[in-house]
């Protein structure tokens, strides 16, 4: 079941605490495969599995900032890479979303990258798309 995000109103879903298990791109749509999505209604929270699709997405306009460690305060260092490089370099990693922000056609996800055998590191994902953002719920 698909739910298209209305960028001008309250969001019915949250990605906080979700983990991105896989990122795919088909030349137009960037897809984030998630372990869980949260839907909030007046009286309850419901957890689903599914995907988030960003239509009309140009990967050259998307980037990821990967820090050398988890960042809370003080000095930090890291690198900024393109989404294509992130998808290659971190294909076996999971990205846990801590906060999410939506600003026009820009989506910002902050969180931690988890790789087997390594300490987690902080990261920020920037996604720019001019089409719909769709929550696709597994049935």
């Amino acid at each position: 079941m698909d739910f298209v995000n209305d960028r001008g109103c309250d969001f019915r879903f949250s990605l906080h605490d979700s983990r991105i298990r896989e990122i795919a791109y088909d030349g137009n749509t960037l897809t984030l495969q998630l372990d869980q999505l949260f839907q909030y209604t007046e009286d309850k929270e419901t957890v689903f599995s599914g995907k988030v699709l960003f239509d009309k997405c140009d990967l050259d306009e998307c980037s990821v900032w990967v820090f050398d460690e988890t960042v809370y305060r003080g000095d930090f260092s890291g690198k900024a890479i393109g989404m294509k490089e992130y998808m290659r370099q971190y294909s076996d990693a999971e990205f846990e979303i801590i906060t999410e922000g939506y600003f026009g056609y820009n989506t910002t996800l902050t969180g931690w990258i988890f790789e087997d055998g390594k300490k987690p590191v902080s990261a920020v994902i920037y996604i720019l798309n001019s089409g719909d953002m769709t929550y696709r719920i597994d049935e």
Side-chain angles (χ1 to χ4, degrees):
M1 181 180 319
D2 287 356
F3 295 90
V4 176
N5 180 21
D6 179 355
R7 295 176 192 265
C9 74
D10 293 331
F11 298 101
R12 294 187 291 173
F13 291 90
S14 174
L15 304 180
H16 174 70
D17 288 337
S18 300
R19 284 197 178 199
I20 301 171
R21 300 270 168 109
E22 181 182 343
I23 301 175
Y25 185 69
D26 69 3
N28 183 58
T29 303
L30 181 70
T31 302
L32 308 180
Q33 178 67 50
L34 302 169
D35 66 338
Q36 54 191 358
L37 299 107
F38 301 91
Q39 182 182 39
Y40 297 100
T41 58
E42 288 184 24
D43 58 343
K44 68 177 180 176
E45 171 188 84
T46 308
V47 180
F48 299 98
S49 62
K51 303 173 183 176
V52 178
L53 291 79
F54 296 89
D55 291 325
K56 296 182 183 174
C57 183
D58 181 352
L59 283 192
D60 292 332
E61 300 298 326
C62 301
S63 63
V64 183
W65 293 3
V66 181
F67 299 93
D68 294 334
E69 58 187 332
T70 54
V71 176
Y72 293 107
R73 289 185 177 86
D75 296 335
F76 54 86
S77 62
K79 60 185 175 182
I81 59 176
M83 181 61 76
K84 292 176 188 175
E85 183 179 345
Y86 177 84
M87 291 169 64
R88 280 190 304 270
Q89 188 172 344
Y90 294 91
S91 62
D92 293 328
E94 289 188 349
F95 184 100
E96 181 176 340
I97 300 167
I98 297 173
T99 61
E100 58 193 298
Y102 304 97
F103 314 99
Y105 292 105
N106 187 357
T107 298
T108 303
L109 306 172
T110 62
W112 288 3
I113 296 173
F114 290 89
E115 292 184 277
D116 286 339
K118 296 182 179 180
K119 289 185 179 182
V121 297
S122 294
V124 181
I125 294 177
Y126 295 101
I127 299 169
L128 181 66
N129 74 303
S130 60
D132 288 334
M133 176 183 168
T134 303
Y135 300 92
R136 180 159 292 160
I137 305 302
D138 294 337
E139 296 184 44

